[in-house]
């Protein structure tokens, strides 16, 4: 799967900044990027207005004219079949014509947004985030900021063979908030919150986190998610309009609309999101390995987060189907199964040998025993 993820070249970079532009294909005309972000509300409004309008018009129609329309519909049913088939064919063509092969993994996926459109959306989001977080953004001379830049540069240096690294202007923003979060916009803007930095005991753990988030960007997951969500709404446009037309009143139609939304989320959106997270875990682990981080920290980190989490959505596998992310235990198991391959990549890249006496898994087991002991003490105190 990762034949294209070779060891990168190592030479100095400016802080979190790669400006070389690489283009392998001519840009093609496409829809305005704003349409992709507004696809769902627009599609639902259009469906509701058209469907409800048709229902009101039908109710006001005299009985004799209703019969005439029914008879006309029977006479022209072949035309309706041809029109429906043409519509489905058009959707199938639109889907197939926008299938692309991921330059990193080789996976074929449906993407209608061009890189330039994705960047436009990202620039708007970047400016909004800077404005919203401005009071808590740390200066670029702060030691914490320099730590994030150092780790980010190390990942970029180790993965310079990946073309998708070059078509972004990488920046770093560190936010002084206790939120355990980090993310990277499609344009390469890295955001790390101090809560996440406090969680990461060392740069290897931070490298695993940033490798995962940067993998989302390199893989183009945002464009893929927006495209898929928009396509689903376009496909549902006619069925939802028909639904609004045939149901007896607006209240029933609203309930049906809500139910369909929930089913789409469970069947399409959430599994798709979890697959993206697992792919980013996999590619991020390889990126961290090529940057010579201690990849043994990856499964150990998710094991630690599982022990620390009090949210059942993050730890209970039975609830995973209603979450956008796999639970911590699932991610730990997946990364553990990929660890041998990642260590081989790390060795092939000429990285320094890892100290077997400082295995993160040993530290995790010690912490597990500590947590278990503390829980036993609490139970004894409660029994008293």
């Amino acid at each position: 799967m990762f034949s294209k993820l070779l060891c990168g070249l190592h030479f100095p970079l400016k802080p979190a900044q790669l400006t070389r532009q690489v283009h392998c294909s001519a840009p093609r005309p496409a829809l305005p990027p704003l349409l992709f972000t507004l696809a769902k509300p627009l599609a639902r409004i259009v469906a509701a207005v058209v469907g409800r309008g048709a229902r009101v018009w039908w109710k006001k129609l005299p009985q004799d004219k209703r019969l005439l329309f029914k008879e006309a519909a029977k006479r022209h049913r072949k035309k309706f079949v041809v029109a429906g088939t043409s519509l489905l064919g058009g959707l199938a063509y639109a889907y197939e014509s926008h299938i692309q092969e991921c330059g990193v993994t080789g996976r074929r996926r449906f993407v209608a947004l061009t890189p330039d459109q994705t960047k436009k959306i990202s620039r708007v989001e970047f400016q909004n985030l800077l404005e919203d977080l401005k009071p808590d953004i740390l200066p670029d001379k702060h030691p914490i900021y320099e730590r994030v830049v150092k780790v980010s540069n190390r990942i970029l240096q180790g993965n310079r063979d990946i073309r998708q690294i070059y078509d972004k202007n990488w920046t770093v923003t560190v936010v002084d908030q206790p939120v355990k979060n980090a993310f990277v916009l499609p344009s390469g803007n890295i955001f790390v919150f101090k809560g996440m930095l406090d969680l990461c005991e060392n740069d290897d753990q931070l490298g695993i986190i940033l490798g995962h988030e940067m993998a989302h960007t390199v893989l183009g997951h945002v464009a893929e998610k927006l495209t898929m969500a928009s396509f689903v709404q376009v496909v549902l446009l006619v069925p939802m309009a028909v639904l609004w037309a045939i149901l007896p009143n607006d209240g029933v139609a609203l309930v049906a609309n809500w139910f369909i939304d929930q089913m789409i989320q469970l069947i399409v959106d959430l599994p798709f999101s979890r697959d993206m997270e697992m792919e980013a875990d996999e590619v991020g682990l390889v990126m961290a390995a090529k940057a010579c981080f201690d990849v043994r920290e990856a499964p150990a980190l998710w094991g630690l987060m599982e022990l620390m989490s009090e949210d059942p959505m993050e730890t209970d596998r039975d609830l995973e189907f209603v979450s956008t992310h796999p639970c911590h235990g699932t991610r730990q198991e997946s990364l553990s199964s990929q660890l041998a391959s990642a260590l081989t990549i790390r060795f092939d890249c000429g990285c320094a040998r890892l100290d077997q006496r400082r295995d993160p898994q040993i530290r995790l087991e010690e912490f597990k025993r500590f947590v278990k002991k503390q829980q036993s003490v609490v139970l004894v105190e409660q029994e008293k």
Side-chain angles (χ1 to χ4, degrees):
M1 179 179 181
F2 298 106
S3 58
K4 300 185 181 182
L5 287 175
L6 306 174
C7 292
L9 303 173
H10 295 267
F11 47 86
L13 298 173
K14 294 178 181 179
Q17 184 78 16
L18 279 170
T19 57
R20 175 182 164 192
Q21 299 294 321
V22 178
H23 299 284
C24 64
S25 61
R28 63 176 186 272
L31 294 172
L34 185 62
L35 287 180
F36 288 89
T37 57
L38 299 177
K40 182 172 181 176
L42 283 175
R44 290 308 168 87
I45 290 171
V46 170
V49 170
V50 172
R52 187 178 183 278
R55 176 174 14 105
V56 172
W57 169 80
W58 182 258
K59 285 182 177 180
K60 291 180 178 180
L61 207 63
Q63 192 65 33
D64 56 336
K65 288 191 176 181
R66 291 188 188 183
L67 291 173
L68 288 174
F69 273 105
K70 288 179 180 179
E71 290 173 2
K74 288 179 181 179
R75 287 197 307 270
H76 298 289
R77 60 179 176 270
K78 289 185 179 179
K79 294 181 180 179
F80 287 115
V81 172
V82 171
T85 304
S86 300
L87 178 62
L88 291 175
L91 289 172
Y93 174 77
Y95 184 89
E96 184 61 32
S97 64
H98 288 88
I99 294 294
Q100 301 177 4
E101 182 179 295
C102 178
V104 179
T105 65
R107 178 173 64 86
R108 289 171 59 80
R109 75 271 182 83
F110 174 51
V111 181
L113 275 169
T114 66
D116 286 342
Q117 289 175 320
T118 307
K119 287 176 185 175
K120 287 180 182 178
I121 296 173
S122 298
R123 280 197 292 268
V124 173
E125 182 65 16
F126 181 49
Q127 294 302 322
N128 289 339
L129 285 168
L130 290 181
E131 187 65 30
D132 293 342
L133 301 172
K134 186 176 181 179
D136 298 316
I137 293 177
L138 294 178
D140 57 8
K141 300 298 182 183
H142 197 286
I144 294 178
Y145 175 88
E146 292 176 354
R147 178 193 178 194
V148 178
V149 168
K150 181 182 72 172
V151 173
S152 301
N153 268 333
R154 192 167 155 187
I155 295 173
L156 293 173
Q157 289 171 351
N159 292 275
R160 290 181 69 95
D161 56 295
I162 301 177
R163 182 187 66 80
Q164 290 77 6
I165 289 288
Y166 292 98
D167 61 359
K168 299 166 181 64
N169 291 318
W170 297 91
T171 66
V172 165
T173 303
V174 180
V175 184
D176 189 10
Q177 292 181 5
V179 183
K180 295 180 177 65
N181 192 23
F183 57 87
V184 182
L185 297 179
S187 48
N189 308 112
I190 302 168
F191 283 80
V192 184
F193 290 77
K194 191 172 181 296
M196 178 60 75
L197 292 169
D198 293 338
L199 175 68
C200 296
E201 297 178 357
N202 51 59
D203 286 352
D204 293 304
Q205 291 181 348
L206 181 58
I208 296 299
I209 294 295
L210 291 183
H212 168 88
E213 299 302 336
M214 293 168 79
H216 276 304
T217 299
V218 167
L219 292 167
H221 280 169
V222 169
E224 190 175 355
K225 285 182 179 181
L226 284 173
T227 300
M228 179 59 71
S230 301
F231 186 77
V232 168
Q233 296 307 317
V234 170
V235 170
L236 288 174
L237 183 59
V238 173
M240 292 303 295
V242 171
L243 186 73
W244 273 87
I246 63 176
L247 290 177
N249 57 61
D250 293 348
V252 176
L254 284 170
V255 172
N257 188 87
W258 173 85
F259 177 76
I260 291 171
D261 269 345
Q262 301 308 306
M263 294 305 297
I264 291 170
Q265 192 172 19
L266 285 174
I267 297 171
V268 179
D269 295 344
L270 293 177
F272 186 78
S273 178
R274 291 194 295 271
D275 287 345
M276 297 297 98
E277 292 300 326
M278 295 297 280
E279 186 177 59
D281 275 352
E282 193 171 356
V283 174
L285 184 67
V286 174
M287 291 177 69
K290 290 164 62 183
C292 294
F293 286 105
D294 186 350
V295 291
R296 299 175 301 176
E297 289 283 4
L301 179 61
W302 286 109
L304 177 65
M305 292 178 73
E306 183 175 30
L307 289 173
M308 295 174 62
S309 177
E310 298 179 354
D311 185 355
M313 294 292 290
E314 296 178 346
T315 58
D316 192 340
R317 299 195 186 196
D318 292 334
L319 298 177
E320 192 173 73
F321 75 102
V322 293
S323 176
T324 57
H325 289 58
C327 66
H328 296 334
T330 299
R331 299 176 84 162
Q332 182 187 13
E333 283 186 9
S334 175
L335 289 166
S336 295
S337 68
Q338 301 163 37
L339 193 55
S341 175
L343 288 169
T344 300
I345 292 171
R346 191 182 183 280
F347 176 79
D348 291 342
C349 288
C351 302
R353 287 183 173 274
L354 295 171
D355 188 347
Q356 298 302 318
R357 296 169 299 179
R358 302 183 64 183
D359 190 338
Q361 190 62 36
I362 297 174
R363 191 170 70 248
L364 176 63
E365 294 300 324
E366 292 174 350
F367 186 68
K368 282 182 179 179
R369 288 193 291 270
F370 171 77
V371 170
K372 191 173 182 180
K373 184 178 179 180
Q374 290 296 110
Q375 289 175 340
S376 299
V377 171
V378 171
L379 287 174
V380 170
E381 291 294 328
Q382 289 177 344
E383 288 175 357
K384 290 180 180 180

